[in-house]
């Protein structure tokens, strides 16, 4: 069965297997879509469905507690010049008054300038 499946794009293992609509590598636990292009970046969307890009300005739509601190990022805080990254927190940014941190796109809204 592994003769017809592509190797893992992360570790190049030939032991990939198919589960539902995903291909899975048992060696590095990487999962990817069998039908999609592995090199295509995923679209990151904000809380209302707008597509986010590097350099966009967003506002926070909910008070967010800063982990490991007593600080809170207040609703309406404007964050300029975001950078999109892979992972659970898909936005890297510098929040005014807080500093460098990662945000989830589900808690921001794109600002049209």
């Amino acid at each position: 069965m592994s003769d017809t499946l592509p190797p893992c794009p992360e570790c190049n293992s030939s032991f990939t297997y198919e589960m539902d609509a995903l291909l899975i590598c048992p060696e590095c636990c990487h999962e990817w879509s069998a039908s999609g292009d592995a090199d295509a970046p995923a679209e990151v969307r904000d809380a209302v469905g707008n597509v986010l890009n590097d350099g966009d300005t967003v506002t926070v739509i909910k008070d967010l507690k800063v982990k490991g601190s007593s600080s809170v990022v207040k609703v309406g805080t404007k964050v300029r010049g975001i950078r999109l990254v892979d992972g659970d927190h898909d936005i890297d940014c510098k929040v005014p008054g807080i500093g460098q941190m990662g945000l989830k796109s589900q808690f921001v809204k794109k600002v049209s300038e």
Side-chain angles (χ1 to χ4, degrees), residues 49-86:
N50 298 321
V51 177
L52 296 174
N53 298 308
D54 285 342
D56 282 345
T57 300
V58 296
T59 59
V60 178
I61 63 167
K62 176 183 174 184
D63 284 348
L64 302 173
K65 295 179 184 177
V66 178
K67 190 173 183 177
S69 173
S70 61
S71 302
V72 175
V73 179
K74 294 288 188 181
V75 66
T77 302
K78 190 180 281 190
V79 181
R80 300 178 193 273
I82 65 170
R83 187 169 57 99
L84 302 178
V85 295
D86 291 333

Side-chain angles (χ1 to χ4, degrees), residues 98-113:
I98 305 279
Q100 192 72 26
M101 68 182 301
L103 295 174
K104 292 186 177 184
S105 59
Q106 65 192 23
F107 299 120
V108 298
K109 180 179 164 188
K110 186 174 181 177
V111 174
S112 58
E113 291 182 298

